[in-house]
Amino acid sequence: MHIAWLGKKSPFCGNVTYGREITNALLDRKYRVSFLHFSQPQGSYEHHLEYQGERHNWSNCDEISLPFIYKSQIYTIPTLKSSKVLLRSLCKLKPDLVHASLTLSPLDFLLPEICEELNIPLVATFHPPFDSKIRNLKSSTQYLTYQLYAPFLARYDRVIVFSEIQRDLLIKLGVPGDRVAIIPNGVDERKYSPGYSNLKFQLRTNKLFVYQGRIATEKNIEALLKAWKLADMGDNCQLLMVGDGPIRSSLQPSYGKEHNIIWLGFVADEQQRIDILRAADVFILPSLVEGLSISLLEAMSCGVACLATDAGADGEVLADGAGVVLDTQGVTAQLKILLPLFRNHPEMTNLLGNKARQRVLEKYTLHHNITKLERLYLEIANKESISA
């Protein structure tokens, strides 16, 4: 089967990881994959700058660049001719199916019309984060995104989401239930596994707490930093901030080495990120809104005790003892109490780390993810052949 994958290769974010892991796995299972994404033409100076310093280990596959005006980790603004380039490319490729890992761009709304014209089945993975309880301004903004997308998602042959909560929300907004499929994110449990790391020795610390992700408002970073400062964790504990983003420059001066906080920045090398997680005692994700955090699943797969808010599907992943689930309200107060407990009780971190690893093995492996995706592809392909 030939899959035309429409997704992202930069800038680095969860959507990039999602696309890389799934397309590589599909190639391993002998699918033909063509990757269409917003990029400068290959070989151009702009293309070189776009990927400079990023090493994502993409497998070789057909690659087509779509023109754009602007793109970020959150959304993309295509040029006016991007839809024509996409239409022309799909006509030439003649794929059996288009899978769009939606990049939050105006092109998302045109895809059903383009694929209907070409009679190609269309699948979407819908990533936007959310807080199902709609408890704050950020989550309300995300709810508007779901409202905006719902009428267009109803025209896709299938829409993949990560949890029951997300599925129920789309159905409530008018997307037919039989078109919404739940396929959670998955991680390669062989790569992301418990193992040796000498990072704590390099950092000269006994306990290592880690945040990994965007340094952005919706991630609620300042609540974690305030809690760390208030908890007065001592010189034997360090908090490692892995990632970059728009509010790093405003936060870093007030929360630095004097508080045993290390700002590592964005880490492009995957093995280095794995080494960080293997060294970690506790992984913390204080987000206001989420989809299903791949960083959280990676930490769990490495056997790290995890604390995360019940934003998006993260609370669902950690439910029933696989981790500690925080309310999105009052995160600082909750962490101020919990951080010293995890510092003082290593047996608790070991137990939760083992349970986190087991939860991934049960429900969130990449192999399981791809198998469910294959079944969905075959279901759509068979339906199309019958209707033809």
Side-chain angles (χ1 to χ4, degrees), residues 48-343:
H48 171 72
L49 290 178
E50 188 177 344
Y51 286 91
Q52 197 172 29
E54 295 190 14
R55 301 183 296 278
H56 297 318
N57 302 319
W58 295 90
S59 292
N60 292 324
C61 60
D62 298 330
E63 184 173 333
I64 294 167
S65 298
L66 301 175
F68 69 96
I69 298 170
Y70 172 82
K71 65 176 176 176
S72 70
Q73 291 176 314
I74 306 298
Y75 62 91
T76 304
I77 302 175
T79 65
L80 292 175
K81 68 175 184 178
S82 63
S83 59
K84 293 182 180 178
V85 174
L86 176 60
L87 178 63
R88 187 167 63 246
S89 300
L90 292 176
C91 283
K92 183 178 179 181
L93 291 169
K94 294 182 172 58
D96 298 299
L97 182 145
V98 173
H99 188 153
S101 181
L102 296 181
T103 57
L104 294 189
S105 86
L107 194 59
D108 300 341
F109 307 129
L110 299 176
L111 277 171
E113 182 179 330
I114 291 171
C115 288
E116 284 169 11
E117 180 179 340
L118 299 175
N119 197 29
I120 302 173
L122 175 61
V123 175
T125 299
F126 193 53
H127 294 272
F130 67 101
D131 175 2
S132 61
K133 298 185 177 77
I134 315 298
R135 291 170 290 201
N136 52 63
L137 179 61
K138 278 285 175 184
S139 62
S140 297
T141 302
Q142 296 300 332
Y143 186 72
L144 290 174
T145 303
Y146 277 70
Q147 286 181 310
L148 176 65
Y149 265 80
F152 298 93
L153 294 177
R155 296 177 60 191
Y156 283 66
D157 291 283
R158 290 292 187 282
V159 179
I160 295 171
V161 294
F162 305 131
S163 72
E164 289 283 355
I165 298 171
Q166 201 178 6
R167 180 179 184 271
D168 291 345
L169 181 56
L170 285 179
I171 292 173
K172 178 182 176 182
L173 293 172
V175 182
D178 61 355
R179 296 197 177 196
V180 185
I182 301 172
I183 303 180
N185 283 334
V187 293
D188 186 338
E189 78 285 0
R190 296 163 300 176
K191 283 193 302 183
Y192 288 89
S193 61
Y196 173 75
S197 172
N198 67 350
L199 181 60
K200 283 201 288 190
F201 175 77
Q202 294 175 23
L203 296 176
R204 299 180 181 179
T205 188
N206 293 332
K207 295 283 184 180
L208 185 62
F209 294 72
V210 172
Y211 166 82
Q212 181 173 293
R214 273 172 39 83
I215 311 299
T217 305
E218 68 271 12
K219 297 295 185 179
N220 205 20
I221 306 299
E222 193 165 10
L224 165 60
L225 297 171
K226 285 180 178 177
W228 182 268
K229 205 169 177 180
L230 290 169
D232 191 18
M233 296 291 284
D235 293 336
N236 291 326
C237 297
Q238 294 202 32
L239 173 61
L240 190 61
M241 305 295 292
V242 184
D244 210 343
I247 64 171
R248 177 182 171 182
S249 60
S250 65
L251 292 175
Q252 189 168 343
S254 301
Y255 303 95
K257 287 186 177 180
E258 67 275 19
H259 306 110
N260 296 309
I261 299 172
I262 301 170
W263 295 82
L264 197 60
F266 170 65
V267 176
D269 184 74
E270 184 178 35
Q271 188 56 53
Q272 187 181 351
R273 295 200 302 273
I274 293 171
D275 288 341
I276 290 168
L277 293 175
R278 285 176 172 174
D281 295 287
V282 180
F283 180 89
I284 308 164
L285 190 62
S287 304
L288 294 172
V289 291
E290 277 289 347
L292 172 51
S293 170
I294 293 178
S295 292
L296 174 63
L297 293 177
E298 290 171 348
M300 293 173 68
S301 191
C302 287
V304 184
C306 293
L307 290 76
T309 53
D310 60 343
D314 291 352
E316 189 176 310
V317 172
L318 294 178
D320 302 320
V324 175
V325 182
L326 309 171
D327 195 294
T328 55
Q329 300 297 301
V331 170
T332 296
Q334 294 170 76
L335 287 176
K336 181 186 174 184
I337 296 169
L338 289 168
L339 290 173
L341 288 176
F342 279 88
R343 174 193 62 198

